[in-house]
Amino acid sequence: MAQCLAFMLLFLISSLISTVGLPVEPPAELLQLGDVAGSGGRLLSIDASDLHEASRDFGGVARADPPVAVFQPRGAGDVAALLRAAHGSERGFRVSARGHGHSISGQAQAPGGVVVDMSHGPGAAAARAGAPAPAYSAALGGHYVDVWGGDLWIDVLNWTLSHGGLAPRSWTDYLYLSVGGTLSNAGISGQAFHHGPQISNVYELDVVTGKGEVVTCSETENPELFFGALGGLGQFGIITRARIALERAPQRVRWIRALYSNFTEFTADQERLISLGAGVRRFDYVEGFVVAAEGLINNWRSSFFSPQNPVKLSSLKHQTGVLYCLEVTKNYDDDTAASVDQDVDALLGELNFLPGTVFTTDLPYVDFLDRVHKAELKLRAKGMWEVPHPWLNLFVPASRIADFDRGVFRGILGGRTASAGGPILIYPMNKHKWDPRSSVVTPDEEVFYLVAFLRSALPGAPESLGTEALARQNQLILDFCAEAGIGAKQYLPNHKAQEEWVEHFGAARWERFARLKAEYDPRAILATGQGIFPPPGSPAIVSDL
């Protein structure tokens, strides 16, 4: 009865919204849903602070009108009621799921519509006493945990560690992201070469489609929706539950960095490390980043070195231009600690880094995984976190990565990576670890690189590091890739027109993507901030740039 009441009220709201043309503020008496569906609280908010928060994101470069309301579901049934109302209304209205608000180009915005605040819900983070504990499945061949789509990965980690010392197998560098958010993109980090992205480590999903249907899907049950939603940019439904693959968590990490001046040797070593198969010595994490040759290799992504005692490399005093930093880890436990030195020395002995540039540290596994958050707290204290982030993330085929280095790192950037505005990551992955049935688009080569320009437009920075200048530089990089035929694909893609999306997917994949959209979200009400299938008559999200 309560769910029916929620549906009827939401249907009335949606009909009114569609009739009067998406007012800024729906009548308040219709939004006081109270204790429906046993929620124990309001489901819709029109509080000005909630609307403001829902209209902004981490990128800080997309501008949009605010939503008319923020929906705070307590479960999949609430999400389904909202989407049934939106789908059944005369004109429909935008609905976008928002996790931690870490999108960078307004992807989770819903001007004139409703933003679903997924931080509410019955997951491990929100209702620990009733949350499902990790379990073992002989059929799946391992442990798993069911989590709410709005749970943050840091909360999932803490939950699984406290129940048997387990942890998800694949990560992002930053853990304060929602499960549904990363699974709607891919979810990558230095473990992806071994375990694949996060979307390759999911057994099952509950997805609420754009028609308001709650669908359980997996590789064998409703597989088209399962693989479509993984990396599907939120176009086919809102992920409310995910069954995540787990492994036994190691206790400690040996964290190592080494520098290169020769790009060919740097990438050859990275590609060799990710090619090592199971049963042989190998690192557990492989990443890298581009640095300048001034000798300081600190960066905001970690507290690897003390800011009060930065590492100066006297052996590099004659180096100029661009350097490349290899970053690797080796996991170990108390019972394997005696052999970690031998394993690391053997692996490093086969690499071609600059002599005297290896730096190591040891720390608990959780501290390594949560390293970016520690840096975030420092930046927040300095007012340097909530600033515009004109990021650009690219997948570059390995056969063209040297051309990319010459054209971008040594060309467009002119070797000035120290003043690039933020870290530039570069590391390879193995395509066979990515399921081709997912919606993610990657280059047509077995090995491809993530190249991530994670720049920030800081207050007081020179004009060359302002938001507009960095955005122009991103466009120069994209133009170079197109003109040189690099074959790069955007990760966390941001295209301005549907024809660009068609080119992004390619004809065959676009046909499948559009067909799934027509089947699961025929009114095109979901995730309109992506700009893939804009609904008729809707105000477009525009950039401040």
Side-chain angles (χ1 to χ4, degrees):
M1 176 64 69
Q3 287 188 347
C4 291
L5 175 62
F7 172 78
M8 291 172 62
L9 288 172
L10 286 167
F11 187 89
L12 180 59
I13 294 168
S14 65
S15 298
L16 181 63
I17 289 173
S18 65
T19 302
V20 301
L22 297 174
V24 174
E25 184 174 324
E29 65 270 17
L30 293 179
L31 299 177
Q32 305 304 316
L33 297 182
D35 184 12
V36 300
S39 68
R42 293 169 56 195
L43 292 182
L44 258 74
S45 171
I46 57 170
D47 184 89
S49 62
D50 290 339
L51 300 182
H52 173 73
E53 180 63 21
S55 67
R56 57 188 295 275
D57 64 13
F58 181 73
V61 296
R63 173 174 54 85
D65 292 333
V68 296
V70 174
F71 190 67
Q72 300 170 338
R74 301 315 197 258
D78 294 335
V79 178
L82 173 68
L83 289 177
R84 285 195 298 271
H87 176 72
S89 66
E90 183 179 348
R91 291 175 55 192
F93 55 88
R94 296 169 177 243
V95 178
S96 288
R98 187 179 194 270
H100 193 52
H102 208 75
S103 55
I104 55 177
S105 300
Q107 291 95 333
Q109 294 172 351
V114 178
V115 168
V116 182
D117 180 359
M118 292 295 289
S119 65
H120 297 263
R128 208 170 290 279
Y136 178 81
S137 168
L140 296 175
H143 288 86
Y144 68 87
V145 66
D146 288 327
V147 298
W148 170 249
D151 279 343
L152 300 184
W153 284 102
I154 182 65
D155 294 318
V156 175
L157 173 63
N158 290 332
W159 179 252
T160 57
L161 283 174
S162 68
H163 287 73
L166 300 167
R169 296 189 299 218
S170 188
W171 293 102
T172 52
D173 285 333
Y174 181 58
L175 303 188
Y176 287 74
L177 304 174
S178 68
V179 170
T182 65
L183 296 183
S184 295
N185 288 280
I188 55 175
S189 183
Q191 300 92 352
F193 80 92
H194 176 36
H195 292 296
Q198 290 181 320
I199 58 172
S200 294
N201 293 274
V202 182
Y203 295 129
E204 189 175 276
L205 299 173
D206 282 347
V207 177
V208 182
T209 71
K211 295 184 288 188
E213 300 169 339
V214 182
V215 181
T216 297
C217 52
S218 66
E219 185 173 8
T220 57
E221 182 180 5
N222 300 305
E224 275 214 318
L225 179 58
F226 179 70
F227 289 110
L230 293 173
L233 305 174
Q235 291 301 307
F236 315 125
I238 295 175
I239 296 172
T240 57
R241 180 185 64 90
R243 179 163 289 181
I244 305 297
L246 304 176
E247 66 177 1
R248 190 70 56 188
Q251 294 172 315
R252 296 191 63 80
V253 167
R254 175 71 55 83
W255 187 8
I256 305 148
R257 287 177 174 174
L259 292 178
Y260 292 72
S261 60
N262 185 298
F263 186 74
T264 300
E265 292 179 343
F266 169 69
T267 54
D269 280 355
Q270 281 193 318
E271 291 180 32
R272 180 183 177 279
L273 290 175
I274 71 165
S275 72
L276 299 176
V280 300
R281 282 194 184 105
R282 64 178 175 187
F283 289 117
D284 297 291
Y285 161 102
V286 177
E287 283 198 12
F289 51 94
V290 185
V291 294
E294 286 85 351
L296 177 64
I297 62 175
N298 293 328
N299 72 89
W300 72 270
R301 298 178 61 240
S302 74
S303 54
F304 192 83
F305 303 109
S306 166
Q308 287 75 34
N309 184 30
V311 175
K312 297 291 185 180
L313 304 178
S314 59
S315 60
L316 299 177
K317 61 184 179 181
H318 300 301
Q319 296 285 348
T320 59
V322 181
L323 292 175
Y324 312 93
C325 183
L326 173 68
E327 185 173 45
V328 294
T329 69
K330 184 69 177 174
N331 300 336
Y332 66 96
D333 302 308
D334 291 340
D335 58 353
T336 59
S339 63
V340 68
D341 288 340
Q342 180 180 354
D343 290 343
V344 168
D345 288 346
L347 287 164
L348 292 179
E350 299 177 356
L351 303 180
N352 294 296
F353 50 82
L354 292 169
T357 66
V358 175
F359 303 91
T360 67
T361 188
D362 283 71
L363 70 170
Y365 181 64
V366 175
D367 288 357
F368 172 73
L369 292 181
D370 201 30
R371 62 199 180 280
V372 176
H373 180 58
K374 292 178 172 59
E376 173 192 349
L377 296 177
K378 296 176 182 178
L379 290 176
R380 284 188 180 278
K382 299 176 181 178
M384 297 169 59
W385 182 260
E386 293 186 357
V387 299
H389 297 94
W391 287 5
L392 176 65
N393 296 269
L394 298 174
F395 289 148
V396 179
S399 66
R400 302 302 304 275
I401 196 65
D403 297 325
F404 190 92
D405 171 60
R406 287 188 290 270
V408 177
F409 300 147
R410 300 176 185 274
I412 293 173
L413 296 184
R416 297 184 298 275
T417 56
S419 57
I424 302 173
L425 308 188
I426 174 171
Y427 59 89
M429 289 169 281
N430 295 310
K431 190 178 179 76
H432 72 271
K433 296 291 185 178
W434 296 63
D435 196 305
R437 294 170 291 183
S438 79
S439 293
V440 179
V441 180
T442 59
D444 293 326
E445 292 188 9
E446 167 55 23
V447 176
F448 61 91
Y449 281 76
L450 170 73
V451 183
F453 298 86
L454 307 182
R455 282 94 70 82
S456 302
L458 299 175
E463 185 177 344
S464 61
L465 293 178
T467 306
E468 294 185 9
L470 292 175
R472 285 195 299 269
Q473 194 174 80
N474 288 344
Q475 190 58 52
L476 287 174
I477 294 169
L478 291 171
D479 291 345
F480 164 77
C481 288
E483 293 165 5
I486 296 294
K489 294 293 184 179
Q490 285 193 40
Y491 177 56
L492 310 178
N494 176 33
H495 297 292
K496 303 302 183 185
Q498 191 173 85
E499 54 267 28
E500 295 178 4
W501 284 105
V502 174
E503 182 179 356
H504 170 79
F505 282 100
R509 293 179 68 90
W510 172 256
E511 186 280 330
R512 171 179 175 262
F513 199 80
R515 176 174 54 81
L516 291 175
K517 183 69 171 180
E519 179 176 355
Y520 292 107
D521 183 26
R523 300 291 300 277
I525 60 176
L526 285 169
T528 57
Q530 298 281 1
I532 308 175
F533 301 98
S538 297
I541 292 176
V542 298
S543 174
D544 284 331
L545 307 183

